Structure formats: C-alpha cells, structure tokens
Amino acid sequence: MTAQLIDGNALSKTLRADVAQRAAALTARGHQPGLAVVLVGENPASEVYVRNKVKACQDNGLFSVMDRFPATLAENELLAHIAKLNADPSIHGILVQLPLPAHIDSHKVIEAIAPEKDVDGFHVANAGALMTGKPLFRPCTPYGVMKMFAAHDIDLKGANAVVIGRSNIVGKPMALLLLEAGATVTICHSKTRDLAKHTRDADVIVAAVGRRNILTADMVKPGATVIDVGMNRNDEGKLCGDVDFAGVKEVAGYITPVPGGVGPMTITMLLVNTIEAAERAAQA
Ligand code: NAP
C-alpha cells in the first residue's frame, strides 16, 4: 500500500473529546446541548443510524430525545411535532431521519425546521448561507470530509477537485466547501460523459454515488487524495464504499477506508453542529 490511510475513527475520537468538553462547559452554565431525532416508519437502516446518533449524544454529554412515529403518521402531525420542537428551549438541534414515507413531503418537513436548529444544514436558508460563503451549519458529511483534509494538512488551494455525485446532502455542499477552500471544482454525475477523463486530472476526488467500484486505480492520478463517501454492500454482504479500495490504495496519496472513514465523521459533525447551535443559543 502506498497511500496513507485517513482514519475517520481516530479523528472522530479527537473531535468527540472536544465536543464532550464543550458540552460539559455548556451544561455547567445550565445550557446542556439537546438534539431531537425524529424517526417515522420502520426502515431498518434508518433505525440503526438513529440509534447510533442518540448513543453518540449520550456518550458525549449531550441530551437527546428520540421521537418515533408509525409510518402512517400524517404530514400535518409531523409538522405540528416539529413546531413543538422549534419552540422547546431544551432542544438545540432537530434531525428528521430521511427517507420519510412517500405520503410526506420531505422538502416541506425540512423547511418547517427552524434554521437555527437545522443541524443537518438542509434547510433552504442554510443551503443559501453555505452558497454565499457564510454558513450557519455545514451539512455533516461534507463538513466531516473537510475536517479530514485539515487533519492531514491537505492543501486545497488551487487543487483540482472532482466530486462524483450531486445530491443536496453530499455532492453539492461538498463542492461548495471545496470551492470555498480555494479548489477548482468539477462536479460529475450520472450524465457525465467521461468520468475517468475528469478524475485522472484530479488532486482530490470525493466519491458520493452509492455504487461499488465507481472509481478504480486506472482513474486516479498517482498521489491524489481519495475520499470514499459511498456505502454499499459487497457480494458477501459486507459494508464497502464506491472506491475499489484494494486497487486505488496502491496509486493514491491518501485514502479513506469503508468502514472507518467518512461514516464515523458524519455522526461526529452532527454532534459538533449541535454544540455550535447550543453555544449560539446560550449566547443569545
Ligand atoms: P444520491 O442522492 O443517490 O446521489 C447519488 C449521486 O451519484 C447522484 O448525483 C447521481 O447522479 C450520481 N451517480 C449515479 N450513478 C453515477 C455514475 N455512474 N457516474 C457518476 N455519478 C453517478 O446519494 P447520496 O445521498 O448523495 O449518497 C451517496 C452515497 O453516499 C450513498 O452510498 C450513501 O449511502 C452514502 N452516504 C454516506 C454517508 C456517510 O456518512 N458515509 C452519508 C451520506 C451518504 P444524478 O444526479 O445524475 O442521478
């Protein structure tokens, strides 16, 4: 292996120690940071994510409530619950686990969250603030990736960065944060004509697609930094990313593993965003 591993578990541990310290300081002043996680329905993957988020809060001194509703919950009932959380001073962050059942308009639900409690950073006000370079919250996954670059002193100024994927929760905000950091950014997606042509010229590649082996060694410039956001299952049912790790690690300069890369960072940044929200509320 030639690439240096970017260890999301180790970096998370360091960042969570800081979170715990800030949570304790806020709690001592009577402002324990609080996160409400809302789950509608019985999607097994969502259940695991939600449980991990609540546990991470408890382990680091944050207060956390998990509000579970059946898949039959009406949209207006969910909106009424969010209004209640918006008004609750013990709650600083509200996270509605996606996907929601088909009869509920997720866009409407996200827009109902008070922007100052939107710790996922998905509200249009927060997306707009990110776009104009003054973010209140950075979406957790791309924010975690930026922490990985910083932890390894990976210089983004003038770097050619390719983001594969253009979702609102990963690809687009990732591209904006890279742009803000001074990279020259290309966003690729399912309609991109020649993906390899773009990736071969990249100093930094972030793969956020949800397809195994979308990035192989022949598509990577020697020494490039490769970040794998994807979460897929291989033929044996084991968690794997979008990147052909075995091949790409022989070419790249830095690489993130799956599991143990971006995944733990996403939850860590949710804690960081909740702390930031609580600190702002305590100051107000
Ligand atoms: P998404 O909304 O499904 O977006 C996937 C993106 O990939 C789309 O923009 C799509 O293009 C693009 N794409 C699909 N096929 C492609 C191809 N052949 N070549 C180039 N681009 C292609 O997914 P997401 O929510 O962004 O998540 C992406 C992956 O990251 C998933 O595996 C998800 O589970 C994972 N994820 C991981 C974390 C974590 O914490 N590790 C957090 C969030 C997401 P079009 O727009 O043209 O369709």
Side-chain angles (χ1 to χ4, degrees):
M1 170 156 168
T2 55
Q4 200 175 317
L5 204 68
I6 302 181
D7 182 343
N9 283 323
L11 181 54
S12 277
K13 211 168 153 192
T14 310
L15 294 173
R16 287 186 196 198
D18 179 61
V19 161
Q21 229 170 43
R22 288 159 75 187
L26 282 160
T27 305
R29 291 165 49 208
H31 299 284
Q32 186 181 22
L35 175 72
V37 182
V38 180
L39 177 63
V40 184
E42 280 102 36
N43 179 323
S46 294
E47 300 247 358
V48 175
Y49 297 147
V50 161
R51 230 180 297 128
N52 289 344
K53 287 166 186 173
V54 170
K55 184 174 182 310
C57 283
Q58 288 162 352
D59 291 349
N60 293 283
L62 284 80
F63 160 70
S64 176
V65 288
M66 180 174 163
D67 299 321
R68 294 190 65 133
F69 297 100
T72 51
L73 183 78
E75 185 181 274
N76 62 348
E77 290 175 297
L78 180 57
L79 293 174
H81 183 67
I82 288 170
K84 220 168 72 187
L85 293 173
N86 282 342
D88 182 343
S90 72
I91 297 298
H92 305 95
I94 302 169
L95 182 151
V96 178
Q97 187 65 45
L98 300 175
L100 288 167
H103 67 278
I104 298 179
D105 178 350
S106 5
H107 183 76
K108 209 165 167 185
V109 171
I110 289 165
E111 296 315 302
I113 298 172
E116 67 277 11
K117 295 191 179 189
D118 168 42
V119 282
D120 260 337
F122 297 163
H123 191 287
V124 74
N126 285 320
L130 179 68
M131 173 86 162
T132 52
K134 294 252 177 282
L136 190 62
F137 296 108
R138 294 157 184 88
C140 302
T141 302
Y143 193 9
V145 173
M146 294 306 285
K147 290 283 179 191
M148 289 174 138
F149 294 133
H152 290 270
D153 290 326
I154 293 164
D155 192 8
L156 297 171
K157 274 192 206 71
N160 285 339
V162 168
V163 179
I164 318 175
R166 56 171 166 175
S167 71
N168 289 335
I169 64 170
V170 189
K172 282 185 207 159
M174 186 75 253
L176 287 172
L177 289 173
L178 285 164
L179 189 64
E180 195 66 23
T184 301
V185 185
T186 304
I187 306 175
C188 297
H189 46 79
S190 69
K191 311 289 183 291
T192 298
R193 283 204 191 110
D194 185 353
L195 181 61
K197 177 172 153 276
H198 297 283
T199 58
R200 276 193 202 114
D201 195 33
D203 304 301
V204 171
I205 304 170
V206 180
V209 174
R211 268 189 199 208
R212 283 163 59 192
N213 299 333
I214 195 89
L215 192 78
T216 48
D218 57 309
M219 298 166 74
V220 176
K221 181 164 91 174
T225 297
V226 176
I227 307 288
D228 193 350
V229 178
M231 284 200 301
N232 311 295
R233 296 272 163 196
N234 66 15
D235 293 337
E236 291 83 50
K238 284 198 183 130
L239 190 65
C240 67
D242 289 347
V243 175
D244 169 24
F245 183 82
V248 173
K249 74 179 174 20
E250 302 301 334
V251 181
Y254 287 95
I255 191 166
T256 62
V258 178
V262 176
M265 292 299 291
T266 296
I267 298 190
T268 299
M269 301 324 290
L270 173 68
L271 302 181
V272 170
N273 276 348
T274 306
I275 294 282
E276 287 177 4
E279 287 173 346
R280 281 195 286 265
Q283 265 164 23

